[in-house]
Amino acid sequence: MTATPVPPAHATVPVTTATPDVSHALHSPVIAWFDEHARDLPWRRPEAGPWGVMVSEFMLQQTPVSRVLPVYEQWLARWPRPADLAAEAPGEAVRAWGRLGYPRRALRLHGAAVAITERHGGDVPRDHAQLLSLPGIGEYTAAAVASFAYGQRHAVLDTNVRRVFARTATGVEYPPNATTAAERRLARALLPEDEETAARWAAASMELGALVCTAKSPDCARCPVAGLCAWRLAGKPAHDGPPRRGQTYAGTDRQVRGKLLAVLREAVGPVPQAVLDTVWDEPVQRARALDGLVSDGLVEPLAQGMYRLPQS
């Protein structure tokens, strides 16, 4: 098959429209590369099932695979089915979340487990609309579970996929800070027609972004579609859009929240205010962080200045 190059960024062809020839030219080499180089991750194994896929998708949001792996294994060993998690207090989900960060994800996953148990007999639903109606599940997670767990045809747009599409199809180094309607149209246009290939394409393009088309050091020599990449063909122009958001942690309220939660996770019972006061010297920031945890439902205040992880 003769490959049709993707037009570079300065071309007059609308970058949000992918021709069938361009789409087909991308699919085969990326999927073939994935078949050879995909990592052996536990949520990709058949025994993971839809619940394992869902747990991984919650945990992998803004968190690297290396940090997720041990927590994922412990989580599935303790709660192999949604009903097992739903039977526990939400605070136990927060405790088991450990230091993965963004612990509201633990509460949302617990809420989804409760809804799955109550509405769907304990089975993760196959239907995209039903997935989307679960607590804490947005468009990305619903599409990812439907695609990776059930082999359905959906555009799965995470940061890695968005970066691959930005470079190969639109000729820019980085995608916008927030997903745009144009990106969604492009992702749908690039989807293979049959479900099995579409699901494989979703996983393959994501893995390509994670391992080869990385944010800081893309390895174009290893890329299976380097010859079709609009960004590479245009000379790899530097990013000229809005500044990319950096991740800061030290000294932030997020760090204080993490320290407060660490004390509560390790405690076997309620913790007095005086103990929490020792985790951070600045009282105003400490109080703001604790108030935020209470407001988010991650911490439950009790009488006489005591605090614990949520029990209901």
Side-chain angles (χ1 to χ4, degrees):
M1 177 176 62
T2 302
T4 303
V6 180
H10 59 268
T12 57
V13 177
V15 296
T16 55
T17 301
T19 67
D21 285 346
V22 168
S23 299
H24 295 158
L26 292 172
H27 296 157
S28 294
V30 171
I31 292 173
W33 171 88
F34 182 68
D35 289 342
E36 183 176 354
H37 298 285
R39 290 169 291 181
D40 179 20
L41 299 173
W43 45 86
R44 288 178 176 163
R45 299 169 191 162
E47 60 267 26
W51 174 238
V53 171
M54 178 175 285
V55 170
S56 75
E57 288 301 332
F58 272 80
M59 290 185 173
L60 288 165
Q61 294 167 20
Q62 300 179 326
T63 307
V65 167
S66 59
R67 289 180 59 197
V68 166
L69 281 169
V71 181
Y72 173 89
E73 298 281 12
Q74 294 164 11
W75 191 285
L76 268 295
R78 181 174 179 181
W79 298 308
R81 300 170 302 166
D84 299 318
L85 176 58
E88 297 260 20
E92 288 307 302
V94 176
R95 193 189 310 277
W97 199 256
R99 302 186 64 83
L100 280 183
Y102 303 100
R104 277 179 288 183
R105 292 179 293 170
L107 288 183
R108 291 168 182 157
L109 184 50
H110 182 274
V114 171
I116 290 168
T117 303
E118 293 176 348
R119 303 178 198 168
H120 303 288
D123 295 323
V124 176
R126 299 177 61 93
D127 182 73
H128 179 268
Q130 291 180 333
L131 286 166
L132 199 55
S133 71
L134 295 173
I137 291 193
E139 175 57 39
Y140 165 77
T141 305
V145 173
S147 178
F148 301 149
Y150 293 117
Q152 296 176 15
R153 183 179 183 270
H154 294 281
V156 183
L157 274 175
D158 81 334
T159 301
N160 289 317
V161 175
R162 294 175 62 224
R163 186 171 58 253
V164 168
F165 291 176
R167 290 172 179 170
T168 59
T170 67
V172 297
E173 186 176 13
Y174 299 116
N177 285 334
T179 307
T180 65
E183 287 181 282
R184 294 188 180 95
R185 288 194 297 270
L186 174 61
R188 289 193 295 269
L190 287 172
L191 267 179
E193 289 299 323
D194 68 282
E195 288 199 332
E196 182 179 354
T197 307
R200 200 69 177 162
W201 162 253
S205 55
M206 187 177 295
E207 190 80 334
L208 185 66
L211 300 184
V212 175
C213 194
T214 59
K216 294 182 180 179
S217 303
D219 190 350
C220 297
R222 292 176 54 214
C223 180
V225 289
L228 299 173
C229 177
W231 181 59
R232 179 177 172 273
L233 293 173
K236 298 183 180 179
H239 177 68
D240 63 356
R244 300 180 67 228
R245 295 178 299 211
Q247 293 282 347
T248 58
Y249 185 74
T252 63
D253 285 7
R254 186 165 153 247
Q255 183 184 23
V256 185
R257 286 163 59 102
K259 288 180 174 292
L260 292 168
L261 272 183
V263 173
L264 292 162
R265 282 199 309 270
E266 294 165 6
V268 295
V271 175
Q273 176 80 56
V275 173
L276 295 177
D277 287 346
T278 65
V279 306
W280 198 257
D281 291 336
E282 209 292 299
V284 174
Q285 187 178 26
R286 186 180 65 236
R288 183 171 64 240
L290 183 57
D291 287 345
L293 290 170
V294 172
S295 177
D296 289 341
L298 289 162
V299 172
E300 184 177 331
L302 303 173
Q304 299 179 334
M306 305 290 285
Y307 295 86
R308 68 181 181 186
L309 295 177
Q311 298 300 301
S312 60

